[in-house]
């Protein structure tokens, strides 16, 4: 080390070295002197130099140039000479609007280039300014200020070469009223180096900027509105021969998220461009900000909470009113999605956005499509799958999907939130389909077509406390119809096979006062109506359930359909039972209308004959139903009829006392209590009947006739000829017009009133001719109620205060005379 130091000292004493150092010092001093002289000269002639520069620039660009001040920095910018201009503006000749307006422009030139007649610019700095390029509707553009003058001769001199450009706080606005284009950017900082090799310029650029908007067709909105953009690794190549601007994969931060971008712009002949963008884990809401406001508003109905991986390709012409073709592909896992109709969790899917769904049509919002592929997610606890979800025409969105799900019905309770039905078990396979306009409300679900396969489902219809089990079959629901195929279910010991066709389901909406109509075909091998007596009980108030989904409106619609819709039920049953009443081969058509039932037609086999009925039932209040019915009985066993109908609410003549085949037509009104039982005092109407091959067995009132006559005859088992009459039932009484009873034991005529309580009063006329009858083979025949029968015995059957019927002689036909007198008085 000491040796090296000694050698340096020795060299410094060398006379040649001293001479060289002295020469260098003189040169530096001369340069400084020259710089000082030049600076003084410029300062003394500043105004003349500024005017000369302004005039030459104005003539060169055919525009108006204004410069407030300038100076030349020599020492501070050494080894460059800096020409600094302040408050500069370049105006066009027609509108006098600034193409450039800047507070500071500096041009740095290397001292070695000062002797070059065409010096290269080492660095161009523009700060605190604004570029504004415009084209008006008359095709006038201020861009001519930067172009060569028309007709200028080629001189062979090279153009201006700039090696570095620096922009600081510069706004750039490019607008074309003819092509409806509008682009505005702000460069907070931009540093670019420019190198040239043959015909290719290579630009390396770092920037910190802000994009206010890129409007390729401003009528459709701008992309990248108000987005912060930063990058430090742009490498852009411009080929002057092919007029191509290209850049490779570059990492760019847009709103603090990383994107990798590469692309090319072709500016010769038919101009076009291509861009390729890739990003990972971008938040959906943040990615949406890159699109136009119009597209964002349309897609705002869809909320995706977590990030996606996305790739975008943009390409297309740069011609007038052209729109780029945009294809965005994306993929995500375990995401959360919210829509106006439902929310989904744990979602995984891929998909794409394409604004040219049909190749034969131009790129546009109308020709755009959003696809979601291989969707898998949870709707509450229900897993949904879909091969493809399609949203077409962003301008007027049309949605198409087909969901598939395997689930159990207990989990559907929370999602459906039905108030009338509670599912307590079973599994379902759901197919949900929709193809129509995107509606931003749960009303969309009313237009969803659904196919549901049921497996061993159990449910409770709460308003009537009816529990159905082992339900299996298929249910199809379209926008306005419902179909149920081969639904099998059990209710206690009753097994049903059901097919349903429903229409006008949407008629329950508040905007349409029409009613839903459901036709239900039911077959059952055996039906015990006693198991359904709760349909006459007090209707339970529907409990309000708060579901986890947004289906309250749709659930209410289903509930209202069940409560207020018209239900046409066509019933077939091999066997039917209601307490003592039994029937076979039952066929019935019943219309349910909220609080009213209409038995439109019912035919069945009962008591060895046929039975048909029509009628209506109206719920007056929670405990009482008013019914009207028309019944037709043909060739039925009267004994079985009395047994089936519990002796029609009286206990004087029971099924034990009767035998024969009956035909009857009845027109009745009656009341039914909340246990489904007939309220006997409420029965009113007319019964027109005929009994053939009849017999009266052990009927005590008839046997009591022996107290007055016929002691030697058997009145415990008498057969009679056809027994017919038309009875009127009113006010707890059966009014019996004069009726002939021609039997093997006795012939009599009866008329009067039979009372269900204490008001029985029946007159019996027994012709004396009965005393002569001795032939046991006698076959009774009717002579008619108006036949002359000669002298008779008159008896009167009347109930006492306890309700027991007592028979006594009616002397002088007193009752008949009173009756005739009353009838005459009423006339």
């Amino acid at each position: 080390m000491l040796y090296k130091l000694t050698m340096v000292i020795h060299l410094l004493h060398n006379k040649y070295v001293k001479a060289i150092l002295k020469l260098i010092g003189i040169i530096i001093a001369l340069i400084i002197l020259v710089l000082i002289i030049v600076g003084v000269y410029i300062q003394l002639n500043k105004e003349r130099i500024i005017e000369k520069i302004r005039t030459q620039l104005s003539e060169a660009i055919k525009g108006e140039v204004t410069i407030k001040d300038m100076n030349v920095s020599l020492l501070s910018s050494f080894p460059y000479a800096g020409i600094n201009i302040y408050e500069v503006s370049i105006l066009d000749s027609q509108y006098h609007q600034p193409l450039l307006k800047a507070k500071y422009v500096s041009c740095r030139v290397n001292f070695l280039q000062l002797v070059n007649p065409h010096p290269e610019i080492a660095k161009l700095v523009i700060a605190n300014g604004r570029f504004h390029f415009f084209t008006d509707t008359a095709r006038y553009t201020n861009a001519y200020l930067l172009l060569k003058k028309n007709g200028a001769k080629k001189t062979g001199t090279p153009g201006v070469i700039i090696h570095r450009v620096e922009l600081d706080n510069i706004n750039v606005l490019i607008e074309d009223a003819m092509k409806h284009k509008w682009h505005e950017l702000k460069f907070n900082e931009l540093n670019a180096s420019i190198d040239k090799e043959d015909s290719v310029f290579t630009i390396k650029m770092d920037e910190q900027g802000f994009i206010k908007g890129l409007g390729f067709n401003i009528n459709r909105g701008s992309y990248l509105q108000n987005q912060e953009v930063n990058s430090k690794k742009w490498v852009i190549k411009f080929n002057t021969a092919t007029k191509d601007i290209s850049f490779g994969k570059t990492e760019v931060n847009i709103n603090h998220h990383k994107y990798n971008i590469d692309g090319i712009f072709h500016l010769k002949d038919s101009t076009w461009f291509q861009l390729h963008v890739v990003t990972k884990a971008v938040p959906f809401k943040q990615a949406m900000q890159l699109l136009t406001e119009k597209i964002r508003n349309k897609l705002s109905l869809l909320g995706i909470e977590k990030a996606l991986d996305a790739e975008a390709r943009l390409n297309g012409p740069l011609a007038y009113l052209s729109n780029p073709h945009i294809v965005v592909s994306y993929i995500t896992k375990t995401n959360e999605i919210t829509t106006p109709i439902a929310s989904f969790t744990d979602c995984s899917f891929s998909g794409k956005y394409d604004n040219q769904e049909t190749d034969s049509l131009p790129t546009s919002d109308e020709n755009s499509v959003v696809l979601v592929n291989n969707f898998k997610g949870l709707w509450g606890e229900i897993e949904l799958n879909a091969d493809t979800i399609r949203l077409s025409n962003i301008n007027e969105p049309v949605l198409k999907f087909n969901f598939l799900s395997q689930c159990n019905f207990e989990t559907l309770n929370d999602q459906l939130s039905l108030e009338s039905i509670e599912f307590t078990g079973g599994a379902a396979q759901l197919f949900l389909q929709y193809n129509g306009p995107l509606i931003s409300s749960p009303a969309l679900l009313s237009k969803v077509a659904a196919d549901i396969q049921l497996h061993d489902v159990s449910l409770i219809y709460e308003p009537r406390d009816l529990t159905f089990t082992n339900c299996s079959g298929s249910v199809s629901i379209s926008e306005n119809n419902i179909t149920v195929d081969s639904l099998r279910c059990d209710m206690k010991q009753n097994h049903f096979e059901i097919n349903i066709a429903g229409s006008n389901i949407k008629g329950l909406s508040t905007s349409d006062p029409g009613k839903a109509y459901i036709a239900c075909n039911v077959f059952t091998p055996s039906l015990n109506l006693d198991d359904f007596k709760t349909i006459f009980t007090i209707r339970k108030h529907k409990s309000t359930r708060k579901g986890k989904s947004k289906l309250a409106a749709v659930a209410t619609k289903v509930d209202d359909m069940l409560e207020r819709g018209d239900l046409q039920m066509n019933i077939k049953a091999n066997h039917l039972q209601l307490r003592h009443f039994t029937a076979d081969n039952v066929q019935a058509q019943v219309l349910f209308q909220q609080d009213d039932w209409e038995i439109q037609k019912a035919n069945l086999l009962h008591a060895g004959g046929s039975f048909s009925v029509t009628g209506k039932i109206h719920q007056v209040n929670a405990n009482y139903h008013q019914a009207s019915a028309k019944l037709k009985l043909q060739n039925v066993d009267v004994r079985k009829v009395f047994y089936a109908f519990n002796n029609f609410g009286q206990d004087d003549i029971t099924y034990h006392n009767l035998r024969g085949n009956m035909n009857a037509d009845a027109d009745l009104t009656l009341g039914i209590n909340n246990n489904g039982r007939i309220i006997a005092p409420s029965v009113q109407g007319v019964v027109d009947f005929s009994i053939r091959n009849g017999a009266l067995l052990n009927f005590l009132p008839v046997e009591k006739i022996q107290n007055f006559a016929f002691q030697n005859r058997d009145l415990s088992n008498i057969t009679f000829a056809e027994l017919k009459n038309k009875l009127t039932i009113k006010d707890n009484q059966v009014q019996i017009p004069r009726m002939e009873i021609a039997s093997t034991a006795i012939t009599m005529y009866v008329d009067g009133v039979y009372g269900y309580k204490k008001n029985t009063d029946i007159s019996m006329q027994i012709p004396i001719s009965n005393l002569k009858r001795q032939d046991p083979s006698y076959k009774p025949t009717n002579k008619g109620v108006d036949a002359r029968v000669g002298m008779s015995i008159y008896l009167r059957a009347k109930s006492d205060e306890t309700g027991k019927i007592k028979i006594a002689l009616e002397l002088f036909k007193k009752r008949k005379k009173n009756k005739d007198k009353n009838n005459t008085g009423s006339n």
Side-chain angles (χ1 to χ4, degrees):
M1 183 68 181
L2 183 61
Y3 172 75
K4 292 181 180 181
L5 182 60
T6 303
M7 290 297 295
V8 172
I9 295 173
H10 177 73
L11 288 173
L12 290 174
H13 286 80
N14 188 292
K15 61 180 181 178
Y16 297 107
V17 173
K18 291 180 179 180
I20 292 172
L21 292 175
K22 187 175 182 179
L23 179 61
I24 291 173
I26 293 172
I27 293 173
I28 292 173
L30 289 173
I31 291 173
I32 293 172
L33 180 61
V34 170
L35 293 177
I36 293 173
I37 293 172
V38 171
V40 172
Y41 174 80
I42 291 174
Q43 187 65 30
L44 293 175
N45 297 276
K46 181 187 296 185
E47 293 183 2
R48 185 170 60 85
I49 295 173
I50 289 174
E51 182 59 26
K52 185 175 181 180
I53 293 174
R54 188 195 66 77
T55 301
Q56 290 181 348
L57 285 175
S58 297
E59 291 177 354
I61 64 177
K62 284 190 175 182
E64 181 180 343
V65 178
T66 61
I67 299 173
K68 183 176 181 180
D69 197 4
M70 70 159 290
N71 62 38
V72 177
S73 58
L74 300 174
L75 293 176
S76 61
S77 58
F78 188 83
Y80 300 106
I83 302 174
N84 306 314
I85 302 174
Y86 301 93
E87 301 290 348
V88 61
S89 64
I90 301 175
L91 311 179
D92 71 289
S93 58
Q94 180 168 327
Y95 292 103
H96 304 287
Q97 296 293 323
L99 177 144
L100 169 65
K101 186 174 183 179
K103 291 185 178 296
Y104 175 73
V105 177
S106 177
C107 183
R108 311 286 173 87
V109 181
N110 194 300
F111 276 106
L112 299 178
Q113 289 286 327
L114 291 176
V115 296
N116 189 334
H118 302 286
E120 297 180 2
I121 298 175
K123 186 176 184 181
L124 176 64
V125 179
I126 304 175
N128 300 321
R130 183 173 187 263
F131 285 95
H132 182 195
F133 301 93
F134 67 86
T135 301
D136 66 12
T137 55
R139 297 186 180 181
Y140 172 81
T141 176
N142 67 349
Y144 78 90
L145 295 171
L146 301 183
L147 302 176
K148 292 182 179 180
K149 294 183 291 183
N150 295 331
K153 296 181 179 180
K154 295 182 180 180
T155 60
T157 59
V160 177
I161 297 176
I162 303 174
H163 288 286
R164 292 192 65 84
V165 174
E166 180 181 314
L167 301 180
D168 183 11
N169 192 27
I170 297 297
N171 281 284
V172 178
L173 173 61
I174 304 171
E175 55 181 340
D176 189 332
M178 282 291 297
K179 298 181 179 180
H180 301 280
K181 296 184 184 295
W182 179 90
H183 309 301
E184 185 170 5
L185 310 91
K186 179 182 179 182
F187 293 101
N188 298 326
E189 293 181 16
L190 183 144
N191 292 289
S193 64
I194 305 172
D195 295 316
K196 184 175 183 297
E197 182 177 350
D198 297 330
S199 60
V200 178
F201 285 90
T202 300
I203 304 170
K204 297 180 179 180
M205 183 176 68
D206 300 335
E207 100 286 340
Q208 293 182 3
F210 187 82
I211 300 177
K212 293 185 177 181
L214 299 178
F216 298 97
N217 183 347
I218 197 61
N219 294 329
R220 297 184 179 274
S222 299
Y223 294 90
L224 292 167
Q225 283 184 310
N226 302 318
Q227 299 294 302
E228 183 179 338
V229 179
N230 300 313
S231 177
K232 295 183 179 180
K233 298 180 181 180
W234 286 103
V235 178
I236 302 172
K237 294 184 179 293
F238 174 51
N239 190 318
T240 58
T242 62
K243 296 296 188 290
D244 288 335
I245 300 174
S246 61
F247 52 92
K249 183 178 180 181
T250 305
E251 185 178 290
V252 181
N253 284 287
I254 302 177
N255 263 5
H256 310 289
H257 188 82
K258 293 181 180 180
Y259 296 81
N260 289 307
I261 305 176
D262 60 88
I264 181 172
F265 290 80
H266 180 71
L267 306 178
K268 187 178 182 180
D269 302 324
S270 298
T271 58
W272 51 267
F273 80 100
Q274 291 180 351
L275 285 175
H276 179 217
V277 184
V278 177
T279 186
K280 299 289 185 181
V282 60
F284 175 76
K285 294 179 180 178
Q286 186 169 341
M288 288 276 288
Q289 297 304 312
L290 307 183
L291 305 175
T292 66
E293 182 178 7
K294 189 175 183 179
I295 296 176
R296 292 199 307 270
N297 290 338
K298 295 296 183 180
L299 296 181
S300 64
L301 301 175
L302 178 67
I304 299 178
E305 299 303 318
K306 297 183 181 179
L308 311 96
D309 295 341
E311 180 177 6
R313 296 183 182 275
L314 295 80
N315 65 80
L318 295 171
Y320 168 56
L321 285 182
S322 62
N323 292 310
H325 182 197
I326 304 172
V327 179
V328 181
S329 302
Y330 47 85
I331 188 170
T332 187
K333 294 182 179 180
T334 62
N335 215 318
E336 298 180 10
I337 299 178
T338 58
T339 73
I341 59 174
S343 298
F344 307 93
T345 59
D346 199 21
C347 301
S348 299
F349 57 87
S350 61
K352 74 172 184 177
Y353 163 79
D354 190 337
N355 67 343
Q356 191 174 15
E357 180 183 10
T358 303
D359 294 339
S360 59
L361 298 176
T363 56
S364 65
D365 290 344
E366 293 80 1
N367 193 25
S368 58
V369 63
V370 178
L371 296 177
V372 175
N373 300 318
N374 302 316
F375 175 88
K376 182 178 180 181
L378 293 179
W379 178 37
E381 298 179 9
I382 300 172
E383 181 178 303
L384 294 178
N385 296 274
D387 291 336
T388 302
I389 303 171
R390 175 186 293 269
L391 182 67
S392 303
N393 187 353
I394 299 300
N395 192 40
E396 295 181 1
V398 175
L399 179 64
K400 181 179 181 180
F401 62 72
N402 188 344
F403 281 117
L404 169 65
S405 176
Q406 303 278 355
C407 65
N408 65 71
F409 266 94
E410 289 179 288
T411 61
L412 275 177
N413 277 329
D414 288 334
Q415 300 305 320
L416 297 179
S417 305
L418 290 173
E419 297 176 356
S420 298
I421 296 176
E422 180 182 1
F423 296 100
T424 59
Q429 188 175 40
L430 301 180
F431 298 89
L432 303 177
Q433 298 175 326
Y434 179 75
N435 186 4
L438 178 61
I439 303 171
S440 59
S441 73
L444 181 144
L445 283 184
S446 66
K447 301 178 181 295
V448 172
D451 291 325
I452 308 172
Q453 299 293 329
L454 310 177
H455 303 283
D456 296 326
V457 175
S458 298
L459 62 90
I460 301 173
Y461 179 55
E462 292 191 342
R464 298 299 184 186
D465 195 22
L466 297 175
T467 300
F468 296 88
T469 60
N470 302 321
C471 302
S472 297
S474 64
V475 180
S476 298
I477 303 172
S478 64
E479 177 181 356
N480 201 27
N481 300 288
I482 181 171
T483 302
V484 177
D485 290 326
S486 301
L487 176 65
R488 293 174 171 82
C489 64
D490 297 329
M491 196 278 176
K492 294 185 177 179
Q493 301 301 314
N494 305 280
H495 176 73
F496 299 99
E497 297 179 12
I498 302 172
N499 291 278
I500 295 175
S503 62
N504 197 31
I505 294 175
K506 69 179 181 180
L508 290 170
S509 65
T510 56
S511 60
D512 184 351
K515 287 186 176 181
Y517 178 81
I518 302 173
C520 180
N521 297 315
V522 180
F523 170 75
T524 176
S526 180
L527 177 61
N528 188 347
L529 289 178
D530 199 45
D531 292 334
F532 293 86
K533 64 183 180 181
T534 56
I535 62 178
F536 294 99
T537 59
I538 299 175
R539 180 181 296 170
K540 295 182 179 179
H541 293 290
K542 297 181 291 186
S543 58
T544 302
R545 299 196 185 108
K546 295 182 179 179
K548 297 178 181 178
S549 66
K550 299 179 180 179
L551 303 181
V554 177
T556 299
K557 195 169 190 177
V558 174
D559 288 321
D560 287 345
M561 180 181 68
L562 294 173
E563 288 296 306
R564 299 193 293 113
D566 290 351
L567 172 61
Q568 176 71 54
M569 184 172 290
N570 304 315
I571 303 170
K572 290 185 178 182
N574 292 339
H575 181 74
L576 179 145
Q577 182 174 352
L578 176 60
R579 302 181 186 92
H580 294 160
F581 180 86
T582 61
D584 297 314
N585 195 22
V586 179
Q587 297 187 33
Q589 296 178 2
V590 184
L591 177 63
F592 294 89
Q593 295 179 302
Q594 197 170 352
D595 293 330
D596 293 284
W597 306 0
E598 180 181 355
I599 304 173
Q600 298 170 323
K601 181 173 64 174
N603 296 309
L604 49 91
L605 300 180
H606 170 65
S610 65
F611 191 137
S612 63
V613 60
T614 61
K616 292 184 178 181
I617 300 175
H618 173 68
Q619 183 176 354
V620 177
N621 55 51
N623 299 308
Y624 182 78
H625 293 71
Q626 179 67 48
S628 62
K630 292 184 178 181
L631 299 90
K632 187 177 185 65
L633 290 80
Q634 292 182 304
N635 200 34
V636 296
D637 187 332
V638 67
R639 182 174 182 270
K640 292 181 179 179
V641 170
F642 268 67
Y643 176 77
F645 288 94
N646 198 26
N647 300 312
F648 296 98
Q650 53 80 43
D651 54 11
D652 292 313
I653 302 178
T654 71
Y655 68 91
H656 296 289
N657 307 123
L658 294 171
R659 190 178 65 198
N661 297 323
M662 182 173 70
N663 294 319
D665 290 310
D667 191 347
L668 304 173
T669 62
L670 51 100
I672 302 174
N673 64 20
N674 58 9
N675 287 319
R677 294 182 180 274
I678 295 174
I679 303 172
S682 68
V683 179
Q684 298 191 60
V686 176
V687 179
D688 192 350
F689 74 93
S690 167
I691 299 176
R692 296 177 183 271
N693 302 319
L696 194 61
L697 309 174
N698 302 315
F699 185 51
L700 185 60
V702 173
E703 291 179 346
K704 287 182 178 180
I705 295 176
Q706 291 182 325
N707 293 334
F708 306 95
F710 314 112
Q711 287 88 355
N712 296 323
R713 296 189 186 179
D714 183 7
L715 299 184
S716 64
N717 184 357
I718 60 176
T719 61
F720 45 83
E722 181 183 6
L723 185 65
K724 59 182 180 179
N725 204 348
K726 187 173 184 179
L727 308 179
T728 300
I729 304 172
K730 184 178 181 181
D731 299 331
N732 243 1
Q733 295 178 341
V734 179
Q735 297 175 4
I736 306 172
R738 182 173 173 82
M739 178 172 62
E740 180 182 10
I741 302 175
S743 71
T744 55
I746 190 172
T747 296
M748 70 175 75
Y749 298 86
V750 301
D751 68 293
V753 175
Y754 172 80
Y756 287 111
K757 294 184 178 179
K758 302 178 182 180
N759 49 359
T760 297
D761 190 357
I762 298 175
S763 177
M764 295 181 287
Q765 178 185 1
I766 304 173
I768 297 295
S769 58
N770 282 280
L771 297 173
K772 299 178 181 180
R773 187 181 305 166
Q774 298 294 332
D775 186 0
S777 63
Y778 172 76
K779 292 183 179 180
T781 58
N782 289 328
K783 296 180 180 181
V785 294
D786 296 325
R788 293 180 179 273
V789 296
M791 295 181 63
S792 301
I793 298 173
Y794 293 91
L795 302 178
R796 188 174 183 181
K798 189 174 182 180
S799 57
D800 60 16
E801 294 180 355
T802 64
K804 292 183 179 182
I805 297 177
K806 294 182 179 182
I807 299 178
L809 285 171
E810 185 178 18
L811 298 176
F812 310 113
K813 297 187 286 185
K814 184 177 180 181
R815 179 182 178 278
K816 179 173 177 57
K817 291 179 180 179
N818 290 336
K819 179 179 177 183
D820 293 339
K821 182 178 179 181
N822 291 335
N823 290 337
T824 303
S826 63
N827 293 333

